[in-house]
Amino acid sequence: MASVLNVKEFKASERTIVVAGLPIGLNNQLLTTLVKIHFEDTDNGGGVVEDVTYPTRTKGAAYVTFKEKTVAENVVRKKKHCLADMVGYAQLTVSHFSEKVFSSVMAVLDLSVFRSQVRLESLVMDLKREIPTLCLSPLEANGRISVQGTFLAIQKLKEFLLLNASFLLEKNRNRQSPRGSTRRNSHSLKPPRSLTPETMKKGESLVLDTDTFLYLKKKRKVYESTLRKFHVLCQETVDGEVTTLCIKNAQGGSQPNNEKQVKEFIEKYSHALHFELRKETFILEGKEDKKNIKLACEQLSSSYPQVLVNFYKTHIDVIGPPSDTYLFKKDVMEFIRQKVR
Protein backbone atom coordinates (compact mmCIF):
# COMPACT_ATOMS: atom_id res chain seq x y z
CA MET A 1 0.00 0.00 0.00
CA ALA A 2 1.30 3.43 -0.85
CA SER A 3 2.02 5.76 2.00
CA VAL A 4 0.34 9.14 2.31
CA LEU A 5 2.18 12.00 3.94
CA ASN A 6 0.63 15.07 5.49
CA VAL A 7 3.24 17.77 6.02
CA LYS A 8 1.82 18.53 9.46
CA GLU A 9 2.36 15.00 10.72
CA PHE A 10 5.11 12.52 9.86
CA LYS A 11 4.45 9.13 11.44
CA ALA A 12 6.79 6.24 12.10
CA SER A 13 6.04 3.88 9.24
CA GLU A 14 7.41 0.79 10.99
CA ARG A 15 4.60 1.04 13.60
CA THR A 16 1.87 1.73 11.06
CA ILE A 17 -0.26 -0.71 9.08
CA VAL A 18 -2.67 -0.20 6.20
CA VAL A 19 -6.16 -1.64 6.59
CA ALA A 20 -8.13 -2.07 3.33
CA GLY A 21 -11.61 -3.43 2.68
CA LEU A 22 -13.47 -1.24 5.17
CA PRO A 23 -17.18 -0.76 4.40
CA ILE A 24 -17.86 2.51 2.61
CA GLY A 25 -20.68 4.88 3.55
CA LEU A 26 -20.63 4.52 7.34
CA ASN A 27 -20.09 7.32 9.81
CA ASN A 28 -16.35 8.06 9.87
CA GLN A 29 -16.16 8.41 13.63
CA LEU A 30 -18.02 5.14 14.20
CA LEU A 31 -15.80 3.23 11.78
CA THR A 32 -12.65 4.73 13.29
CA THR A 33 -13.78 3.57 16.75
CA LEU A 34 -14.58 0.05 15.54
CA VAL A 35 -11.19 -0.23 13.82
CA LYS A 36 -9.44 0.92 16.99
CA ILE A 37 -11.34 -1.60 19.11
CA HIS A 38 -10.59 -4.43 16.68
CA PHE A 39 -6.85 -3.79 16.58
CA GLU A 40 -6.52 -3.29 20.32
CA ASP A 41 -7.96 -6.76 20.87
CA THR A 42 -5.13 -9.14 21.80
CA ASP A 43 -7.05 -12.02 20.16
CA ASN A 44 -6.37 -10.24 16.86
CA GLY A 45 -2.69 -9.88 17.68
CA GLY A 46 -3.31 -6.26 18.60
CA GLY A 47 -2.19 -3.90 21.30
CA VAL A 48 -2.23 -0.21 22.20
CA VAL A 49 -3.33 1.86 19.20
CA GLU A 50 -1.73 5.28 19.08
CA ASP A 51 -3.75 6.66 16.18
CA VAL A 52 -6.24 5.71 13.44
CA THR A 53 -6.28 7.80 10.26
CA TYR A 54 -9.62 7.58 8.47
CA PRO A 55 -10.85 8.52 5.93
CA THR A 56 -7.83 8.55 3.63
CA ARG A 57 -7.39 9.35 -0.06
CA THR A 58 -7.92 5.64 -0.77
CA LYS A 59 -11.56 4.64 -0.33
CA GLY A 60 -12.13 1.94 2.26
CA ALA A 61 -8.60 2.20 3.65
CA ALA A 62 -7.33 3.35 7.05
CA TYR A 63 -3.90 3.77 8.64
CA VAL A 64 -3.46 2.34 12.12
CA THR A 65 -0.40 3.33 14.16
CA PHE A 66 0.50 1.21 17.17
CA LYS A 67 2.58 2.22 20.17
CA GLU A 68 4.90 -0.74 19.62
CA LYS A 69 6.48 -1.95 16.37
CA THR A 70 6.13 -5.60 17.42
CA VAL A 71 2.35 -5.24 17.66
CA ALA A 72 2.16 -4.01 14.06
CA GLU A 73 4.21 -7.01 12.98
CA ASN A 74 1.95 -9.42 14.91
CA VAL A 75 -1.19 -7.96 13.35
CA VAL A 76 0.18 -8.28 9.81
CA ARG A 77 1.43 -11.81 10.54
CA LYS A 78 -2.08 -12.88 11.55
CA LYS A 79 -3.29 -11.93 8.04
CA LYS A 80 -6.99 -12.81 8.46
CA HIS A 81 -9.03 -10.02 10.01
CA CYS A 82 -12.81 -9.67 9.97
CA LEU A 83 -14.60 -6.56 11.17
CA ALA A 84 -17.96 -7.55 12.61
CA ASP A 85 -20.45 -5.81 14.84
CA MET A 86 -22.55 -2.86 13.77
CA VAL A 87 -21.14 -3.00 10.23
CA GLY A 88 -22.07 -6.61 9.54
CA TYR A 89 -19.19 -8.69 8.14
CA ALA A 90 -16.17 -7.18 6.41
CA GLN A 91 -13.06 -9.11 5.35
CA LEU A 92 -10.06 -6.84 5.87
CA THR A 93 -6.71 -6.80 4.07
CA VAL A 94 -3.82 -5.79 6.33
CA SER A 95 -0.29 -4.86 5.24
CA HIS A 96 2.75 -2.95 6.46
CA PHE A 97 2.67 0.77 5.76
CA SER A 98 6.17 0.48 4.27
CA GLU A 99 5.32 -2.48 2.04
CA LYS A 100 5.90 -2.23 -1.69
CA VAL A 101 2.75 -1.18 -3.42
CA PHE A 102 0.38 -1.62 -6.32
CA SER A 103 -0.78 -5.12 -5.34
CA SER A 104 -4.50 -4.50 -5.70
CA VAL A 105 -7.22 -2.20 -6.95
CA MET A 106 -10.49 -1.15 -5.38
CA ALA A 107 -13.39 -0.02 -7.56
CA VAL A 108 -17.12 0.62 -7.38
CA LEU A 109 -19.22 -0.99 -10.12
CA ASP A 110 -22.63 0.25 -11.20
CA LEU A 111 -24.44 -2.90 -12.33
CA SER A 112 -27.81 -1.17 -12.64
CA VAL A 113 -27.30 -0.96 -16.42
CA PHE A 114 -27.93 -4.74 -16.53
CA ARG A 115 -31.08 -4.59 -14.39
CA SER A 116 -33.58 -4.64 -17.26
CA GLN A 117 -31.98 -7.77 -18.70
CA VAL A 118 -30.92 -9.90 -15.74
CA ARG A 119 -31.31 -10.35 -11.99
CA LEU A 120 -28.35 -8.51 -10.48
CA GLU A 121 -28.04 -11.07 -7.68
CA SER A 122 -27.48 -13.78 -10.30
CA LEU A 123 -24.93 -11.61 -12.08
CA VAL A 124 -22.99 -11.19 -8.82
CA MET A 125 -23.08 -14.97 -8.25
CA ASP A 126 -21.70 -15.48 -11.77
CA LEU A 127 -18.93 -12.99 -11.00
CA LYS A 128 -17.97 -14.88 -7.83
CA ARG A 129 -17.85 -18.17 -9.72
CA GLU A 130 -15.88 -16.80 -12.68
CA ILE A 131 -13.38 -14.75 -10.63
CA PRO A 132 -13.09 -16.27 -7.14
CA THR A 133 -10.08 -14.08 -6.26
CA LEU A 134 -12.22 -10.93 -6.28
CA CYS A 135 -13.53 -9.55 -3.00
CA LEU A 136 -17.06 -8.22 -3.45
CA SER A 137 -19.14 -6.18 -1.02
CA PRO A 138 -22.88 -6.80 -0.58
CA LEU A 139 -24.94 -5.57 -3.53
CA GLU A 140 -26.59 -2.22 -2.78
CA ALA A 141 -30.21 -1.43 -3.66
CA ASN A 142 -29.09 1.04 -6.36
CA GLY A 143 -27.10 -1.68 -8.14
CA ARG A 144 -23.67 -0.59 -6.94
CA ILE A 145 -21.08 -2.98 -5.57
CA SER A 146 -17.49 -2.52 -4.39
CA VAL A 147 -14.81 -4.88 -5.70
CA GLN A 148 -11.19 -5.41 -4.74
CA GLY A 149 -8.58 -7.62 -6.34
CA THR A 150 -5.35 -7.90 -8.29
CA PHE A 151 -5.04 -6.20 -11.66
CA LEU A 152 -5.27 -9.59 -13.34
CA ALA A 153 -8.59 -10.14 -11.55
CA ILE A 154 -9.80 -6.65 -12.49
CA GLN A 155 -8.86 -7.35 -16.10
CA LYS A 156 -10.89 -10.57 -16.04
CA LEU A 157 -13.77 -8.66 -14.47
CA LYS A 158 -13.71 -6.10 -17.25
CA GLU A 159 -13.65 -8.78 -19.93
CA PHE A 160 -16.46 -10.70 -18.24
CA LEU A 161 -18.71 -7.62 -18.13
CA LEU A 162 -17.88 -6.72 -21.73
CA LEU A 163 -18.80 -10.23 -22.80
CA ASN A 164 -22.09 -9.99 -20.95
CA ALA A 165 -22.87 -6.60 -22.49
CA SER A 166 -22.09 -7.95 -25.96
CA PHE A 167 -24.23 -11.04 -25.32
CA LEU A 168 -27.19 -8.90 -24.26
CA LEU A 169 -26.91 -6.74 -27.38
CA GLU A 170 -26.87 -9.86 -29.54
CA LYS A 171 -29.86 -11.31 -27.69
CA ASN A 172 -31.85 -8.10 -28.20
CA ARG A 173 -31.08 -8.18 -31.92
CA ASN A 174 -32.35 -11.78 -32.09
CA ARG A 175 -35.58 -10.79 -30.37
CA GLN A 176 -36.19 -8.10 -32.97
CA SER A 177 -35.35 -10.44 -35.85
CA PRO A 178 -37.95 -12.97 -37.22
CA ARG A 179 -35.21 -15.60 -37.04
CA GLY A 180 -34.36 -14.84 -33.44
CA SER A 181 -35.69 -18.02 -31.89
CA THR A 182 -32.89 -18.68 -29.39
CA ARG A 183 -34.20 -18.71 -25.81
CA ARG A 184 -32.15 -18.39 -22.67
CA ASN A 185 -32.83 -18.04 -18.99
CA SER A 186 -32.84 -14.25 -18.42
CA HIS A 187 -32.05 -14.70 -14.73
CA SER A 188 -28.45 -15.67 -15.39
CA LEU A 189 -25.89 -14.53 -17.92
CA LYS A 190 -23.86 -17.25 -19.60
CA PRO A 191 -22.38 -15.69 -22.75
CA PRO A 192 -20.72 -18.12 -25.16
CA ARG A 193 -16.93 -18.15 -24.83
CA SER A 194 -16.51 -17.41 -28.52
CA LEU A 195 -18.54 -14.21 -28.29
CA THR A 196 -16.15 -11.27 -28.01
CA PRO A 197 -16.98 -7.54 -28.21
CA GLU A 198 -15.83 -5.83 -31.39
CA THR A 199 -13.32 -3.70 -29.52
CA MET A 200 -11.56 -6.84 -28.27
CA LYS A 201 -11.34 -8.50 -31.69
CA LYS A 202 -8.89 -5.90 -32.93
CA GLY A 203 -5.48 -6.06 -31.34
CA GLU A 204 -4.57 -7.11 -27.82
CA SER A 205 -5.95 -5.54 -24.65
CA LEU A 206 -4.00 -5.19 -21.39
CA VAL A 207 -4.96 -3.67 -18.02
CA LEU A 208 -2.25 -2.15 -15.81
CA ASP A 209 -1.99 -0.12 -12.65
CA THR A 210 -1.79 3.54 -13.70
CA ASP A 211 1.19 4.39 -11.47
CA THR A 212 3.17 1.40 -12.71
CA PHE A 213 2.33 2.24 -16.32
CA LEU A 214 3.31 5.91 -15.97
CA TYR A 215 6.63 4.90 -14.45
CA LEU A 216 7.21 2.35 -17.22
CA LYS A 217 6.42 4.89 -19.93
CA LYS A 218 8.25 7.90 -18.50
CA LYS A 219 11.22 6.30 -16.76
CA ARG A 220 12.00 3.17 -18.77
CA LYS A 221 13.01 3.54 -22.44
CA VAL A 222 12.16 -0.10 -23.04
CA TYR A 223 8.45 0.75 -23.48
CA GLU A 224 8.82 3.01 -26.52
CA SER A 225 11.69 0.96 -27.97
CA THR A 226 9.58 -2.23 -27.82
CA LEU A 227 6.70 -0.58 -29.67
CA ARG A 228 9.11 0.59 -32.39
CA LYS A 229 10.90 -2.74 -32.60
CA PHE A 230 7.70 -4.72 -33.19
CA HIS A 231 6.03 -2.00 -35.28
CA VAL A 232 2.93 -1.71 -33.12
CA LEU A 233 0.81 1.19 -31.90
CA CYS A 234 -0.52 1.43 -28.36
CA GLN A 235 -3.71 3.26 -27.45
CA GLU A 236 -3.59 4.24 -23.78
CA THR A 237 -6.78 4.88 -21.80
CA VAL A 238 -6.26 6.13 -18.26
CA ASP A 239 -9.22 5.67 -15.89
CA GLY A 240 -8.15 6.56 -12.36
CA GLU A 241 -6.01 3.79 -10.87
CA VAL A 242 -6.38 1.58 -13.95
CA THR A 243 -4.90 2.09 -17.42
CA THR A 244 -6.02 0.02 -20.41
CA LEU A 245 -3.69 -0.53 -23.34
CA CYS A 246 -4.94 -1.54 -26.77
CA ILE A 247 -2.00 -2.88 -28.81
CA LYS A 248 -2.36 -3.00 -32.60
CA ASN A 249 -0.05 -3.59 -35.55
CA ALA A 250 1.06 -0.40 -37.29
CA GLN A 251 1.68 -2.17 -40.61
CA GLY A 252 -1.65 -3.67 -41.58
CA GLY A 253 -1.82 -7.45 -41.30
CA SER A 254 1.93 -8.07 -41.29
CA GLN A 255 3.40 -9.94 -38.33
CA PRO A 256 0.05 -10.58 -36.56
CA ASN A 257 1.86 -12.27 -33.69
CA ASN A 258 3.61 -9.00 -32.79
CA GLU A 259 0.62 -7.73 -30.83
CA LYS A 260 0.58 -10.77 -28.57
CA GLN A 261 4.36 -10.70 -28.07
CA VAL A 262 4.30 -7.05 -27.07
CA LYS A 263 1.38 -7.63 -24.72
CA GLU A 264 3.16 -10.53 -23.01
CA PHE A 265 6.40 -8.54 -22.71
CA ILE A 266 4.73 -5.44 -21.23
CA GLU A 267 2.64 -7.59 -18.90
CA LYS A 268 5.67 -9.46 -17.53
CA TYR A 269 7.85 -6.34 -17.35
CA SER A 270 5.21 -4.26 -15.57
CA HIS A 271 4.48 -7.13 -13.17
CA ALA A 272 8.15 -7.26 -12.15
CA LEU A 273 8.29 -3.46 -11.97
CA HIS A 274 5.15 -3.45 -9.87
CA PHE A 275 7.00 -5.16 -7.00
CA GLU A 276 10.10 -2.96 -7.30
CA LEU A 277 8.31 0.35 -6.82
CA ARG A 278 7.11 2.33 -3.85
CA LYS A 279 4.85 5.37 -3.83
CA GLU A 280 4.78 8.31 -1.43
CA THR A 281 1.94 10.81 -1.59
CA PHE A 282 2.06 14.39 -0.34
CA ILE A 283 -1.40 15.78 0.42
CA LEU A 284 -1.67 19.44 -0.59
CA GLU A 285 -3.41 21.35 2.21
CA GLY A 286 -3.22 25.11 2.56
CA LYS A 287 -1.81 27.68 0.15
CA GLU A 288 1.61 27.88 1.80
CA ASP A 289 1.97 24.11 2.12
CA LYS A 290 1.12 23.62 -1.55
CA LYS A 291 3.69 26.20 -2.58
CA ASN A 292 6.49 24.74 -0.43
CA ILE A 293 5.85 21.11 -1.38
CA LYS A 294 5.65 21.84 -5.10
CA LEU A 295 8.79 23.94 -4.98
CA ALA A 296 10.66 21.23 -3.06
CA CYS A 297 9.60 18.48 -5.48
CA GLU A 298 10.49 20.56 -8.53
CA GLN A 299 13.94 21.47 -7.22
CA LEU A 300 14.82 17.98 -5.97
CA SER A 301 13.48 15.91 -8.89
CA SER A 302 16.58 16.46 -11.05
CA SER A 303 18.74 14.94 -8.30
CA TYR A 304 16.68 11.73 -8.33
CA PRO A 305 16.54 10.44 -11.94
CA GLN A 306 14.93 7.14 -10.82
CA VAL A 307 12.02 8.94 -9.17
CA LEU A 308 8.85 9.92 -11.03
CA VAL A 309 6.98 12.93 -9.62
CA ASN A 310 3.34 13.30 -10.70
CA PHE A 311 1.66 16.61 -9.86
CA TYR A 312 -2.10 16.74 -9.26
CA LYS A 313 -4.41 19.45 -7.90
CA THR A 314 -4.91 17.84 -4.51
CA HIS A 315 -1.71 15.81 -4.09
CA ILE A 316 1.69 14.88 -5.45
CA ASP A 317 2.70 11.25 -6.08
CA VAL A 318 6.34 10.25 -5.85
CA ILE A 319 7.10 6.84 -7.40
CA GLY A 320 10.36 4.95 -7.60
CA PRO A 321 12.65 2.40 -5.95
CA PRO A 322 12.09 2.24 -2.16
CA SER A 323 15.47 3.73 -1.24
CA ASP A 324 15.16 6.61 -3.71
CA THR A 325 11.61 7.52 -2.71
CA TYR A 326 12.56 7.36 0.97
CA LEU A 327 15.52 9.72 0.48
CA PHE A 328 13.45 11.99 -1.78
CA LYS A 329 10.70 12.16 0.86
CA LYS A 330 13.27 12.89 3.56
CA ASP A 331 14.84 15.71 1.52
CA VAL A 332 11.43 17.22 0.76
CA MET A 333 10.53 17.25 4.45
CA GLU A 334 13.88 18.84 5.31
CA PHE A 335 13.40 21.46 2.58
CA ILE A 336 9.98 22.35 4.00
CA ARG A 337 11.30 22.58 7.56
CA GLN A 338 13.93 25.05 6.43
CA LYS A 339 11.32 27.09 4.58
CA VAL A 340 8.98 27.41 7.57
CA ARG A 341 11.72 28.40 10.05
Side-chain angles (χ1 to χ4, degrees):
M1 185 66 66
S3 65
V4 180
L5 289 179
N6 186 310
V7 178
K8 299 176 182 178
E9 193 170 8
F10 181 63
K11 297 178 179 177
S13 61
E14 68 272 11
R15 294 186 288 113
T16 302
I17 63 169
V18 181
V19 182
L22 294 170
I24 299 170
L26 291 178
N27 177 275
N28 292 342
Q29 186 174 0
L30 170 63
L31 198 54
T32 299
T33 301
L34 292 175
V35 169
K36 187 173 187 292
I37 292 172
H38 176 84
F39 287 105
E40 284 191 331
D41 190 338
T42 54
D43 289 341
N44 298 321
V48 178
V49 173
E50 199 172 80
D51 186 50
V52 176
T53 303
Y54 184 84
T56 62
R57 193 169 62 85
T58 303
K59 289 184 178 180
Y63 304 103
V64 179
T65 301
F66 295 97
K67 188 175 181 179
E68 301 292 337
K69 176 183 175 181
T70 53
V71 176
E73 293 172 346
N74 290 337
V75 167
V76 173
R77 195 177 296 117
K78 189 175 183 296
K79 292 184 179 180
K80 288 187 178 181
H81 290 271
C82 300
L83 191 66
D85 202 337
M86 300 174 65
V87 298
Y89 178 88
Q91 180 74 45
L92 306 179
T93 302
V94 178
S95 60
H96 282 296
F97 188 74
S98 58
E99 220 169 49
K100 296 173 187 178
V101 294
F102 315 134
S103 59
S104 66
V105 171
M106 293 185 66
V108 177
L109 299 180
D110 186 355
L111 300 179
S112 61
V113 294
F114 292 98
R115 179 166 278 152
S116 62
Q117 303 287 338
V118 64
R119 287 181 60 242
L120 298 189
E121 292 80 5
S122 296
L123 177 57
V124 172
M125 289 178 63
D126 287 343
L127 276 175
K128 290 179 179 179
R129 281 194 297 267
E130 292 289 328
I131 318 171
T133 56
L134 273 180
C135 294
L136 293 89
S137 70
L139 181 67
E140 298 177 12
N142 60 5
R144 290 178 178 269
I145 187 170
S146 298
V147 298
Q148 181 180 6
T150 64
F151 288 97
L152 180 59
I154 296 297
Q155 182 180 18
K156 290 180 179 178
L157 170 66
K158 177 182 177 181
E159 293 174 354
F160 178 82
L161 293 176
L162 284 173
L163 285 171
N164 279 305
S166 179
F167 168 65
L168 290 174
L169 287 173
E170 188 68 23
K171 188 168 72 169
N172 286 335
R173 291 194 193 102
N174 288 339
R175 283 177 178 172
Q176 296 169 6
S177 170
R179 297 180 181 180
S181 59
T182 304
R183 293 186 180 181
R184 288 178 178 265
N185 182 358
S186 62
H187 294 301
S188 182
L189 290 179
K190 294 292 183 181
R193 292 291 180 181
S194 60
L195 180 59
T196 307
E198 194 65 29
T199 55
M200 297 180 66
K201 288 181 180 178
K202 300 177 180 178
E204 293 285 341
S205 183
L206 177 61
V207 180
L208 299 175
D209 165 61
T210 294
D211 291 319
T212 306
F213 169 71
L214 290 177
Y215 191 90
L216 171 63
K217 183 179 179 181
K218 296 181 180 181
K219 289 294 179 178
R220 297 294 170 91
K221 295 180 181 179
V222 68
Y223 176 71
E224 295 292 347
S225 64
T226 300
L227 298 184
R228 289 195 299 269
K229 177 182 177 181
F230 287 91
H231 306 290
V232 298
L233 300 175
C234 192
Q235 181 181 349
E236 305 154 2
T237 305
V238 178
D239 184 12
E241 294 182 351
V242 176
T243 293
T244 303
L245 305 183
C246 185
I247 304 165
K248 299 180 182 179
N249 276 317
Q251 299 180 344
S254 63
Q255 303 295 329
N257 198 42
N258 284 0
E259 298 167 346
K260 187 175 182 179
Q261 287 183 331
V262 171
K263 174 186 174 179
E264 290 176 351
F265 174 79
I266 293 177
E267 191 170 32
K268 290 179 181 178
Y269 194 97
S270 61
H271 181 74
L273 190 63
H274 166 98
F275 291 102
E276 295 175 7
L277 298 176
R278 173 173 171 76
K279 178 169 74 173
E280 300 288 350
T281 298
F282 293 99
I283 303 298
L284 301 179
E285 294 180 339
K287 188 174 181 180
E288 196 63 28
D289 280 347
K290 289 181 180 181
K291 179 181 176 182
N292 290 335
I293 298 173
K294 287 182 178 179
L295 181 62
C297 290
E298 288 169 353
Q299 292 193 6
L300 292 170
S301 59
S302 60
S303 300
Y304 290 88
Q306 296 301 315
V307 169
L308 174 65
V309 182
N310 291 326
F311 294 88
Y312 301 97
K313 289 184 178 180
T314 58
H315 64 282
I316 298 175
D317 286 340
V318 180
I319 305 166
S323 59
D324 291 75
T325 53
Y326 171 78
L327 292 173
F328 185 91
K329 171 190 68 178
K330 186 178 178 181
D331 287 350
V332 168
M333 300 302 292
E334 182 59 32
F335 181 97
I336 293 169
R337 290 191 192 98
Q338 292 177 357
K339 275 286 183 180
V340 297
R341 282 177 185 172

PDB file of all heavy atoms in Angstrom, residues 329-340:
ATOM      1  N   LYS A 329      11.672  11.724  -0.149  1.00  0.00           N
ATOM      2  CA  LYS A 329      10.702  12.165   0.858  1.00  0.00           C
ATOM      3  C   LYS A 329      11.404  12.889   1.999  1.00  0.00           C
ATOM      4  O   LYS A 329      10.962  13.952   2.454  1.00  0.00           O
ATOM      5  CB  LYS A 329       9.946  10.948   1.383  1.00  0.00           C
ATOM      6  CG  LYS A 329       9.055  11.215   2.587  1.00  0.00           C
ATOM      7  CD  LYS A 329       8.559   9.905   3.179  1.00  0.00           C
ATOM      8  CE  LYS A 329       9.699   9.124   3.796  1.00  0.00           C
ATOM      9  NZ  LYS A 329       9.231   7.859   4.412  1.00  0.00           N
ATOM     10  N   LYS A 330      12.514  12.315   2.453  1.00  0.00           N
ATOM     11  CA  LYS A 330      13.272  12.892   3.561  1.00  0.00           C
ATOM     12  C   LYS A 330      13.793  14.279   3.198  1.00  0.00           C
ATOM     13  O   LYS A 330      13.718  15.225   3.995  1.00  0.00           O
ATOM     14  CB  LYS A 330      14.437  11.962   3.914  1.00  0.00           C
ATOM     15  CG  LYS A 330      15.221  12.371   5.144  1.00  0.00           C
ATOM     16  CD  LYS A 330      16.316  11.346   5.428  1.00  0.00           C
ATOM     17  CE  LYS A 330      17.145  11.764   6.637  1.00  0.00           C
ATOM     18  NZ  LYS A 330      18.235  10.777   6.898  1.00  0.00           N
ATOM     19  N   ASP A 331      14.316  14.423   1.981  1.00  0.00           N
ATOM     20  CA  ASP A 331      14.837  15.714   1.524  1.00  0.00           C
ATOM     21  C   ASP A 331      13.729  16.752   1.373  1.00  0.00           C
ATOM     22  O   ASP A 331      13.932  17.935   1.662  1.00  0.00           O
ATOM     23  CB  ASP A 331      15.577  15.547   0.196  1.00  0.00           C
ATOM     24  CG  ASP A 331      16.932  14.861   0.372  1.00  0.00           C
ATOM     25  OD1 ASP A 331      17.358  14.699   1.534  1.00  0.00           O
ATOM     26  OD2 ASP A 331      17.546  14.486  -0.641  1.00  0.00           O
ATOM     27  N   VAL A 332      12.564  16.304   0.892  1.00  0.00           N
ATOM     28  CA  VAL A 332      11.429  17.223   0.760  1.00  0.00           C
ATOM     29  C   VAL A 332      11.007  17.748   2.130  1.00  0.00           C
ATOM     30  O   VAL A 332      10.772  18.949   2.315  1.00  0.00           O
ATOM     31  CB  VAL A 332      10.234  16.532   0.058  1.00  0.00           C
ATOM     32  CG1 VAL A 332       8.966  17.385   0.185  1.00  0.00           C
ATOM     33  CG2 VAL A 332      10.553  16.296  -1.405  1.00  0.00           C
ATOM     34  N   MET A 333      10.917  16.846   3.107  1.00  0.00           N
ATOM     35  CA  MET A 333      10.526  17.252   4.453  1.00  0.00           C
ATOM     36  C   MET A 333      11.543  18.219   5.059  1.00  0.00           C
ATOM     37  O   MET A 333      11.178  19.194   5.717  1.00  0.00           O
ATOM     38  CB  MET A 333      10.375  16.011   5.343  1.00  0.00           C
ATOM     39  CG  MET A 333       9.334  15.011   4.877  1.00  0.00           C
ATOM     40  SD  MET A 333       7.675  15.707   4.718  1.00  0.00           S
ATOM     41  CE  MET A 333       7.285  16.031   6.435  1.00  0.00           C
ATOM     42  N   GLU A 334      12.824  17.964   4.790  1.00  0.00           N
ATOM     43  CA  GLU A 334      13.877  18.842   5.306  1.00  0.00           C
ATOM     44  C   GLU A 334      13.802  20.207   4.629  1.00  0.00           C
ATOM     45  O   GLU A 334      13.971  21.259   5.278  1.00  0.00           O
ATOM     46  CB  GLU A 334      15.249  18.209   5.073  1.00  0.00           C
ATOM     47  CG  GLU A 334      16.411  19.014   5.615  1.00  0.00           C
ATOM     48  CD  GLU A 334      16.324  19.255   7.113  1.00  0.00           C
ATOM     49  OE1 GLU A 334      15.789  18.373   7.829  1.00  0.00           O
ATOM     50  OE2 GLU A 334      16.786  20.326   7.556  1.00  0.00           O
ATOM     51  N   PHE A 335      13.537  20.230   3.329  1.00  0.00           N
ATOM     52  CA  PHE A 335      13.404  21.463   2.577  1.00  0.00           C
ATOM     53  C   PHE A 335      12.268  22.314   3.155  1.00  0.00           C
ATOM     54  O   PHE A 335      12.398  23.530   3.328  1.00  0.00           O
ATOM     55  CB  PHE A 335      13.124  21.133   1.099  1.00  0.00           C
ATOM     56  CG  PHE A 335      12.991  22.336   0.216  1.00  0.00           C
ATOM     57  CD1 PHE A 335      14.067  22.793  -0.529  1.00  0.00           C
ATOM     58  CD2 PHE A 335      11.781  23.013   0.113  1.00  0.00           C
ATOM     59  CE1 PHE A 335      13.936  23.908  -1.352  1.00  0.00           C
ATOM     60  CE2 PHE A 335      11.645  24.110  -0.727  1.00  0.00           C
ATOM     61  CZ  PHE A 335      12.723  24.573  -1.463  1.00  0.00           C
ATOM     62  N   ILE A 336      11.145  21.640   3.464  1.00  0.00           N
ATOM     63  CA  ILE A 336       9.977  22.351   3.996  1.00  0.00           C
ATOM     64  C   ILE A 336      10.271  22.900   5.381  1.00  0.00           C
ATOM     65  O   ILE A 336       9.887  24.028   5.723  1.00  0.00           O
ATOM     66  CB  ILE A 336       8.758  21.411   4.036  1.00  0.00           C
ATOM     67  CG1 ILE A 336       8.347  21.052   2.600  1.00  0.00           C
ATOM     68  CG2 ILE A 336       7.591  22.060   4.757  1.00  0.00           C
ATOM     69  CD1 ILE A 336       7.334  19.952   2.511  1.00  0.00           C
ATOM     70  N   ARG A 337      10.954  22.110   6.207  1.00  0.00           N
ATOM     71  CA  ARG A 337      11.298  22.575   7.558  1.00  0.00           C
ATOM     72  C   ARG A 337      12.147  23.850   7.488  1.00  0.00           C
ATOM     73  O   ARG A 337      11.957  24.774   8.283  1.00  0.00           O
ATOM     74  CB  ARG A 337      12.044  21.482   8.312  1.00  0.00           C
ATOM     75  CG  ARG A 337      11.200  20.276   8.693  1.00  0.00           C
ATOM     76  CD  ARG A 337      11.944  19.363   9.679  1.00  0.00           C
ATOM     77  NE  ARG A 337      11.266  18.097   9.823  1.00  0.00           N
ATOM     78  CZ  ARG A 337      11.602  16.987   9.178  1.00  0.00           C
ATOM     79  NH1 ARG A 337      12.625  17.002   8.343  1.00  0.00           N
ATOM     80  NH2 ARG A 337      10.940  15.857   9.367  1.00  0.00           N
ATOM     81  N   GLN A 338      13.081  23.875   6.564  1.00  0.00           N
ATOM     82  CA  GLN A 338      13.934  25.052   6.431  1.00  0.00           C
ATOM     83  C   GLN A 338      13.134  26.259   5.942  1.00  0.00           C
ATOM     84  O   GLN A 338      13.416  27.390   6.326  1.00  0.00           O
ATOM     85  CB  GLN A 338      15.068  24.753   5.437  1.00  0.00           C
ATOM     86  CG  GLN A 338      16.066  23.722   5.965  1.00  0.00           C
ATOM     87  CD  GLN A 338      17.124  23.390   4.928  1.00  0.00           C
ATOM     88  OE1 GLN A 338      17.093  23.874   3.805  1.00  0.00           O
ATOM     89  NE2 GLN A 338      18.077  22.515   5.325  1.00  0.00           N
ATOM     90  N   LYS A 339      12.137  25.995   5.110  1.00  0.00           N
ATOM     91  CA  LYS A 339      11.316  27.087   4.580  1.00  0.00           C
ATOM     92  C   LYS A 339      10.437  27.732   5.650  1.00  0.00           C
ATOM     93  O   LYS A 339      10.190  28.930   5.629  1.00  0.00           O
ATOM     94  CB  LYS A 339      10.430  26.572   3.448  1.00  0.00           C
ATOM     95  CG  LYS A 339      11.106  26.549   2.089  1.00  0.00           C
ATOM     96  CD  LYS A 339      11.221  27.965   1.545  1.00  0.00           C
ATOM     97  CE  LYS A 339      11.827  27.982   0.177  1.00  0.00           C
ATOM     98  NZ  LYS A 339      11.943  29.369  -0.347  1.00  0.00           N
ATOM     99  N   VAL A 340       9.931  26.904   6.575  1.00  0.00           N
ATOM    100  CA  VAL A 340       8.975  27.411   7.567  1.00  0.00           C
ATOM    101  C   VAL A 340       9.665  27.984   8.801  1.00  0.00           C
ATOM    102  O   VAL A 340       9.010  28.493   9.701  1.00  0.00           O
ATOM    103  CB  VAL A 340       7.982  26.308   8.000  1.00  0.00           C
ATOM    104  CG1 VAL A 340       7.165  25.865   6.821  1.00  0.00           C
ATOM    105  CG2 VAL A 340       8.725  25.128   8.638  1.00  0.00           C
TER     106      VAL A 340
END
